[in-house]
Amino acid sequence: MRSASAWGCARGFAVALLIAVGVVDVALYAGSDGSSVLPGLGTVWQTLVVVLVGLAAVLWPARRRPHWLTPQVRTAVPALASLLLTAASLLVRGPVVFGPGEMTILLSLLFIAVRHCPPRWALVCGSLDAGALLILPVRGDATLSSDAMGLEMIGLVLVGLVAGLASYLRSMDYRRTVAVSDTRRSERLAIAADLHDFVAHHVTGILVQTQMARMMATTQPQDLDPVLAGIERAATEALASMRRTVGVLRDTGEGAADRRPVGDLAGIAELIENFATPGQGVVLRRDPAVTDDLSHEVQAAAFRVVQEALTNIRRHAADATHIEVVLGQDTGRLEVTVVDDGRGGIRLPPAAHGGGFGLVGLNERVTALGGTIDTGPRGAGGWGVRAVFPARKP
């Protein structure tokens, strides 16, 4: 609240200063013996027109600005008016004075042109504003005496400072835009990875249980109901995951990331409960030292390790009868282990196999948190997945 008030005070001070120097210009023309570029028109009016056009271009509120009043128009028109007045001053006898108001307005317009105009127009409009400012001394002294040259040097320094500041702020805006774009792209890629993990897990389960149902249809038709119920549950969860993910992708608001379909340590138990099929036993062993106050990233990574490991068991070792998931914590590190006793005797059709991207993405997720992951066959048969990463607190 305090910073917003300070910013409002600074803007109010800048607006008041700009209006004040504009009034100084009008007063200077009113009290001078300078020449008028138009016969019958006093020197005050020609100054007033240039100052009012410049003030309108700089101070017109953004919310009430018409669509045609683009940054190009705002910065080019006042500069052209100033250039025309300077050019006309060369056709009359006597000096046409100028004051700090016109200089300040042109510097403000130079800042707007460099920072807000499209790249090509920024160079054109910025050059017009800088040129209009630098030739102002010609109005008072067309011979460019030492005094006029001194003003030229001061103007050149001011132009360089303002253009440099505007260019720096424009580069910062560009970097911020690129950072936001990269963040959104990374977030959407992460959401796509989540969609792959969830849907692949559920659809693989549907395929395995469908194979089982086909075998049981002829031998144990009375036991089909639990298998069909599992297929229905997996399909419902897959649809729910896709619906949540698509909803997040459509929503670009600030709360979109909070609704990503990620998991946590508590969700591992539910994941295991829904995984088991007839003839398969899944056991979860959780060390009491493993608490639920770990950081969200660590819990999501642990959930993904278990999910990917179970999905691969369905794909490559559907004959496994005993699967064990272990969550342990020691010396500040969380260890997640998934082992099975499958021998690959029952396999899914080749088209249902993954492309190997699951483990690649899993390795990137774990290593990004400073952890390690190992996969490979066990000595007693079966396959094992072990991931270890820092047990960070939120």
Side-chain angles (χ1 to χ4, degrees):
M1 196 66 164
R2 185 177 304 171
S3 61
S5 299
W7 173 246
C9 291
R11 290 190 62 183
F13 177 77
V15 170
L17 179 62
L18 199 59
I19 294 175
V21 293
V23 172
V24 169
D25 267 22
V26 176
L28 285 175
Y29 273 85
S32 71
D33 57 354
S35 302
S36 174
V37 300
L38 294 175
L41 186 64
T43 57
V44 174
W45 294 106
Q46 64 189 22
T47 306
L48 189 61
V49 170
V50 173
V51 169
L52 287 180
V53 171
L55 288 177
V58 176
L59 301 180
W60 200 311
R63 295 181 179 178
R64 299 182 180 180
R65 198 175 296 153
H67 68 279
W68 53 264
L69 193 58
T70 61
Q72 300 93 293
V73 175
R74 292 173 61 200
T75 55
V77 171
L80 290 174
S82 179
L83 287 170
L84 288 175
L85 181 57
T86 301
S89 69
L90 300 176
L91 304 178
V92 300
R93 294 182 179 180
V96 177
V97 297
F98 64 93
E102 192 173 353
M103 295 177 60
T104 306
I105 290 172
L106 288 172
L107 287 172
S108 301
L109 294 173
L110 172 63
F111 180 88
I112 295 172
V114 175
R115 186 175 184 188
H116 297 295
C117 284
R120 293 182 180 178
W121 281 103
L123 179 60
V124 175
C125 296
S127 299
L128 283 175
D129 295 318
L133 175 66
L134 292 176
I135 66 172
L136 282 178
V138 174
R139 293 185 191 173
D141 185 1
T143 62
L144 292 179
S145 63
S146 59
D147 291 339
M149 291 302 296
L151 291 176
E152 289 283 357
M153 294 302 299
I154 294 175
L156 191 61
V157 172
L158 291 176
V159 166
L161 290 175
V162 172
L165 176 61
S167 299
Y168 171 75
L169 294 177
R170 185 183 184 114
S171 67
M172 294 298 293
D173 293 339
Y174 175 75
R175 292 178 184 178
R176 188 180 300 110
T177 301
V178 171
V180 170
S181 178
D182 289 345
T183 300
R184 287 179 176 174
R185 182 174 179 274
S186 299
E187 183 68 16
R188 287 175 179 267
L189 289 176
I191 292 173
D194 290 343
L195 179 62
H196 167 271
D197 292 344
F198 274 86
V199 175
H201 177 80
H202 294 312
V203 172
T204 303
I206 292 172
L207 184 55
V208 170
Q209 294 182 83
T210 301
Q211 289 179 327
M212 186 179 301
R214 291 183 63 187
M215 292 187 295
M216 296 176 62
T218 56
T219 58
Q220 299 172 286
Q222 69 279 3
D223 297 329
L224 274 178
D225 189 65
V227 177
L228 296 177
I231 295 174
E232 180 183 11
R233 182 174 61 251
T236 302
E237 291 174 355
L239 288 173
S241 295
M242 286 190 291
R243 189 180 301 112
R244 285 193 301 268
T245 305
V246 172
V248 173
L249 288 172
R250 287 180 175 176
D251 188 359
T252 57
E254 295 180 356
D258 296 334
R259 297 192 297 275
R260 281 180 54 192
V262 297
D264 52 17
L265 295 183
I268 293 178
E270 181 180 356
L271 185 67
I272 291 174
E273 180 181 351
N274 295 331
F275 177 82
T277 58
Q280 269 186 341
V282 186
V283 179
L284 172 62
R285 303 188 187 279
R286 177 169 174 171
D287 190 337
V290 179
T291 59
D292 289 331
D293 62 346
L294 300 178
S295 69
H296 175 76
E297 292 79 7
V298 170
Q299 295 197 49
F303 183 91
R304 288 292 183 272
V305 168
V306 176
Q307 184 182 58
E308 183 66 22
L310 294 180
T311 301
N312 286 335
I313 290 173
R314 277 178 171 165
R315 284 175 173 165
H316 308 291
D319 61 332
T321 58
H322 179 74
I323 303 165
E324 186 171 312
V325 179
V326 181
L327 301 179
Q329 186 170 341
D330 184 32
T331 64
R333 301 182 70 83
L334 178 66
E335 180 176 336
V336 181
T337 305
V338 182
V339 296
D340 67 82
D341 61 354
R343 301 183 180 277
I346 302 177
R347 294 182 178 270
L348 298 181
H353 289 179
F357 299 113
L359 287 177
V360 172
L362 200 61
N363 182 70
E364 292 178 354
R365 184 187 294 268
V366 175
T367 54
L369 295 174
T372 59
I373 183 169
D374 299 310
T375 62
R378 301 169 60 209
W383 194 267
V385 176
R386 178 176 177 270
V388 180
F389 34 87
R392 301 175 182 175
K393 302 293 181 177

